[in-house]
Amino acid sequence: MQLRDLLDQDRMLITAWSTSPSVEIAGGLARCPFDTVTVDMQHGAHTESTAFASVRAITVAGKPAILRIPVGRTDLASRALDMGFEAVIAPMINSVADAAEFARAMKYPPLGERSWGPMKALQIHTDHTPESYFRAANQQTLAFAMIETRAAFADLDGILATDGIDGIFVGPSDLSISWSNGAGVDPNNEELQDVIAEIGARARKAGKFAAIFAVDPAAVPRFAKMGYRLAALNTDPGILHAGAEVMLGKARG
Ligand code: 3PY
Ligand code: MG
């Protein structure tokens, strides 16, 4: 397990975002120069079987695997860790109660109520014995609570203070919908930048990791200045499209 160690280096990490339900594509993303790959089961088309098979494909490429679960699926959060994912991103964590429920599923006692059974994780993280896995897990596997509504922002300090929550992950699209009271969706809205900066600063002050989804790659250096240390770079179709544009541009002169 290494995501925690990479984050402790205090530099901006960039994660690929795998939405296509394909182990080959997830493994292919891991072989690109990303720091890590996130498998998306909220809006991505991954099923449990493609997501769980992707862990090995990502890990053999030497990268840590992260899973985003669908809303409220804390059962899947524990299961993701059992399959060898090193972190879970939970969407729509809108209250301290939501954060506490997520943390309970992610951490072994006494911090939480995660149930024992990381047999698949141990096949992937072969540097661990069951005992060493148990001792390391609460610290090494990471719970990211998505902050993407006004309600979550209002409860931010409580969410950040929740034991077992290791970091927050800003969803700028949903945040823009909530911030505008449903008037529209605009993840790059300039008016949101102060809010995003404040979330990053408060997370750092609380000693928690700050992560964010970057629709626009050019925003990543700005997020790094705000204290964010993990950014998702668009999605696999977006990367395919951008790559095709560059290659076709060269081919057509
Ligand atoms: C959002 O921007 O709302 C997200 O959830 C990013 O995936
Ligand atoms: Mg969202």
Side-chain angles (χ1 to χ4, degrees):
M1 292 188 283
Q2 54 173 349
L3 181 61
R4 170 95 205 198
D5 301 333
L6 292 174
L7 280 164
D8 282 342
Q9 290 174 359
D10 202 26
R11 65 182 170 89
M12 180 56 111
L13 303 180
I14 302 200
T15 182
W17 200 266
S18 165
T19 65
S20 306
S22 157
V23 177
E24 287 73 23
I25 295 177
L29 289 169
R31 289 191 298 279
C32 296
F34 291 104
D35 298 293
T36 161
V37 177
T38 301
V39 173
D40 186 11
M41 287 187 71
Q42 185 194 14
H43 298 300
H46 275 283
T47 61
E48 284 187 34
S49 65
T50 61
F52 295 166
S54 295
V55 186
R56 185 177 290 276
I58 296 165
T59 311
V60 294
K63 304 288 170 69
I66 302 172
L67 182 77
R68 178 164 75 170
I69 54 174
V71 176
R73 289 294 307 278
T74 48
D75 60 317
L76 210 44
S78 302
R79 207 156 142 65
L81 299 183
D82 285 347
M83 298 303 147
F85 283 97
E86 296 189 32
V88 176
I89 299 168
M92 294 287 176
I93 297 295
N94 291 332
S95 64
V96 173
D98 288 350
E101 190 193 335
F102 174 43
R104 262 197 305 279
M106 289 289 289
K107 304 293 176 181
Y108 288 121
L111 209 48
E113 295 171 6
R114 182 179 167 197
S115 162
W116 178 252
M119 276 68 79
K120 293 287 169 204
L122 286 167
Q123 287 173 359
I124 286 174
H125 303 293
T126 50
D127 47 332
H128 274 295
T129 62
E131 275 221 25
S132 73
Y133 180 90
F134 180 73
R135 275 198 308 275
N138 278 3
Q139 213 249 345
Q140 291 285 327
T141 54
L142 303 175
F144 283 94
M146 284 199 76
I147 303 298
E148 48 185 353
T149 61
R150 275 183 186 271
F153 184 71
D155 251 1
L156 180 62
D157 289 334
I159 292 169
L160 286 167
T162 303
D163 282 343
I165 296 296
D166 302 289
I168 52 88
F169 194 107
V170 174
S173 292
D174 278 311
L175 191 60
S176 74
I177 295 173
S178 179
W179 215 260
S180 66
N181 294 316
V185 54
D186 179 7
N188 302 314
N189 188 340
E190 278 307 311
E191 283 172 28
L192 272 185
Q193 299 310 308
D194 288 348
V195 180
I196 289 172
E198 188 174 335
I199 295 170
R202 276 157 71 177
R204 271 191 94 92
K205 196 161 164 233
K208 305 280 167 107
F209 298 116
I212 188 161
F213 192 91
V215 177
D216 175 9
V220 173
R222 180 155 34 95
F223 294 147
K225 284 202 191 91
M226 294 175 182
Y228 288 83
R229 289 296 176 264
L230 174 66
L233 201 56
N234 209 287
T235 60
D236 43 0
I239 289 166
L240 202 59
H241 193 91
E245 270 185 352
V246 170
M247 285 191 169
L248 287 167
K250 283 186 183 161
R252 290 181 174 140

